[in-house]
Amino acid sequence: MPEHRSRKDAARNREAVLAAADALFARRGSAEDVTTAEVAAEAGVGKGTLFRAFGDRAGLLRALYEARLAPVREAVESGPPPLGPATPPRERVPALLDAVLCFKLDNRRLVVALEESANGSASPYQASHYEWLHRLLRDVLEQIPGTPGSDFTAHALLAATRADLVEHLAGREGVPRETLRAQLADFTAGLLD
Amino acid sequence: MPEHRSRKDAARNREAVLAAADALFARRGSAEDVTTAEVAAEAGVGKGTLFRAFGDRAGLLRALYEARLAPVREAVESGPPPLGPATPPRERVPALLDAVLCFKLDNRRLVVALEESANGSASPYQASHYEWLHRLLRDVLEQIPGTPGSDFTAHALLAATRADLVEHLAGREGVPRETLRAQLADFTAGLLD
DNA sequence: GACGATACGGACTGAGGGTCCGTTTTGCAA
DNA sequence: TTGCAAAACGGACCCTCAGTCCGTATCGTC
């Protein structure tokens, strides 16, 4: 069904680059100081190939991100409660935020790099995954009676899970994972009364 | 009484660079695509001078930011209510957040550039002005009975005024200033019940 | 097995942040 | 005033990277 099936070598190289990037980002602390040249080398591929496959550095980051996010998306869109669509709104909101927080905790380095690489104005807010998440959260909030300004509230709640904030608290200040989760849960709960 | 009074030419050039940067950032839309070379040229000064005065690009941004923030700081630390220290906590929290929001609305471009220029990990969260603001907000929150996790809450509230979010809403989506202020106020109010 | 289409790869370019160092200015002191 | 060391100047220079270009190699189809 695909319009243009891509050539076998292209597909293989795309995977190789993705895997190489993943490995390199893991090996180094941060995705920040891994260059495209290094990724290409690690993948045993020329830079041209990398750029043809992903467009630019941000494209590579995005692809990796998307790959890691897929399970979460799956769980949210068609999984069982408390994440899936069958969950009552009042419980789904904290569950969603907790899932986002955990995801960011697990993928701190990558997410920081991605949120920052989107230079120019309005950085992470036009990424498709942000749009998706925001729309979803807003719609769920809307189903809770007495919630004013669900659009802004959704933004504000998501802002509380911003990658660099998470990195600051969990990384720099050493706040334990569970503490952070509890605090976010408290914060969310405080809002939904 | 100053330990090391800086030389007159140094002081003059420092001001010139600051003014030039201010002018250039205003003329261009964004601080993002103004280079250090341009700023130096506009100030009629060599690049070396710029770097000696501010350390690096981020230092220049920071200095400009600090200069613009000074009035707010003043109003918060020793001004009259509703910003000053004499204000009862319950009213001061929303006033503080509103002030921050207005500041970011007025200085969008610069603040976006600053929050992003702090590359590497834990970007804007170790800037001294963030520390100051966070500590202040946390302490004020602490004085409101029944507020759990004031430290995290302060972070989360400040996150709702993140420069790129503000830029996204006010700039990209065209949400009017007053609407945004009202939404933030609602959000804050919802939390303080 | 041949030929057009597609992909490869790495040398190359351009941009921009930051440094270096010979020259100039400053300000103190004789 | 003049002398002089310390401080500041400035712009050529360097380096790192993202991203491009184009001659060569590979694919897959007829």
Side-chain angles (χ1 to χ4, degrees):
Chain A
M1 224 69 10
E3 271 308 346
H4 283 308
R5 186 140 202 88
S6 68
R7 247 169 60 172
K8 203 173 0 183
D9 50 353
R12 179 168 33 76
N13 280 334
R14 189 191 157 88
E15 289 316 305
V17 169
L18 226 36
D22 211 344
L24 266 179
F25 291 167
R27 193 171 327 147
R28 300 283 226 298
S30 151
E32 210 52 64
D33 41 74
V34 174
T35 67
T36 51
E38 284 174 311
V39 174
E42 171 90 5
V45 140
K47 282 181 62 174
T49 302
L50 186 155
F51 280 95
R52 206 165 322 100
F54 298 99
D56 59 9
R57 189 192 149 87
L60 171 59
L61 278 300
R62 230 177 296 126
L64 246 186
Y65 187 94
E66 213 59 59
R68 300 218 191 149
L69 189 59
V72 178
R73 221 173 184 133
E74 174 71 17
V76 167
E77 279 176 344
S78 55
L83 273 185
T87 321
R90 274 299 300 269
E91 292 154 42
R92 204 178 179 201
V93 168
L96 287 171
L97 287 168
D98 188 56
V100 172
L101 176 62
C102 287
F103 177 74
K104 300 224 179 166
L105 279 165
D106 293 336
N107 298 280
R108 277 194 258 154
R109 304 338 237 278
L110 172 63
V111 184
V112 168
L114 182 67
E115 288 190 2
E116 280 178 0
S117 77
N119 21 3
S121 27
S123 330
Y125 292 99
Q126 33 201 14
S128 67
H129 52 85
Y130 186 85
E131 288 243 315
W132 167 70
L133 204 54
H134 173 257
R135 205 183 318 263
L136 176 70
L137 186 57
R138 184 195 57 193
D139 292 348
V140 178
L141 282 168
E142 207 121 76
Q143 291 166 32
I144 303 178
T147 308
S150 52
D151 193 276
F152 181 82
T153 302
H155 280 303
L157 282 173
L158 288 175
T161 68
R162 281 289 292 261
D164 48 6
L165 176 55
V166 170
E167 168 62 21
H168 175 66
L169 294 175
R172 190 76 63 172
E173 299 208 329
V175 178
R177 183 189 181 90
E178 296 310 319
T179 307
L180 212 47
R181 292 178 66 190
Q183 287 177 324
L184 179 62
D186 280 357
F187 181 76
T188 312
L191 207 72
L192 300 182
D193 295 341
Chain B
M1 227 65 15
E3 272 308 346
H4 283 309
R5 184 139 202 88
S6 71
R7 249 169 60 170
K8 204 173 1 180
D9 51 352
R12 179 168 34 77
N13 280 334
R14 191 191 155 87
E15 289 316 305
V17 170
L18 225 37
D22 211 344
L24 266 179
F25 291 167
R27 194 171 325 148
R28 302 282 227 296
S30 150
E32 211 52 66
D33 42 69
V34 173
T35 68
T36 51
E38 284 175 311
V39 174
E42 171 91 3
V45 138
K47 282 180 61 173
T49 302
L50 186 156
F51 280 95
R52 204 165 323 100
F54 298 99
D56 59 9
R57 188 194 149 88
L60 171 59
L61 279 299
R62 231 178 294 126
L64 246 186
Y65 186 94
E66 213 58 59
R68 300 217 191 151
L69 188 60
V72 178
R73 221 173 185 134
E74 174 70 18
V76 167
E77 279 176 345
S78 55
L83 273 184
T87 322
R90 273 300 298 268
E91 293 153 40
R92 203 178 181 201
V93 168
L96 286 171
L97 288 168
D98 188 56
V100 172
L101 176 62
C102 287
F103 177 74
K104 299 225 179 166
L105 280 165
D106 293 337
N107 299 279
R108 276 193 259 154
R109 303 337 236 280
L110 173 62
V111 185
V112 169
L114 182 67
E115 287 191 4
E116 279 178 1
S117 77
N119 19 7
S121 29
S123 332
Y125 291 99
Q126 34 201 15
S128 67
H129 52 85
Y130 185 85
E131 289 244 315
W132 167 70
L133 205 55
H134 173 257
R135 204 182 321 260
L136 176 70
L137 186 57
R138 184 195 57 193
D139 292 348
V140 178
L141 282 169
E142 206 121 77
Q143 292 165 34
I144 303 179
T147 308
S150 52
D151 194 275
F152 181 82
T153 302
H155 280 303
L157 283 173
L158 288 176
T161 68
R162 281 289 291 262
D164 48 6
L165 176 55
V166 170
E167 168 61 22
H168 176 65
L169 294 175
R172 190 76 63 173
E173 300 208 328
V175 178
R177 183 188 182 89
E178 296 310 320
T179 306
L180 212 46
R181 292 179 65 190
Q183 288 177 325
L184 179 62
D186 279 357
F187 181 76
T188 312
L191 208 71
L192 299 183
D193 295 341

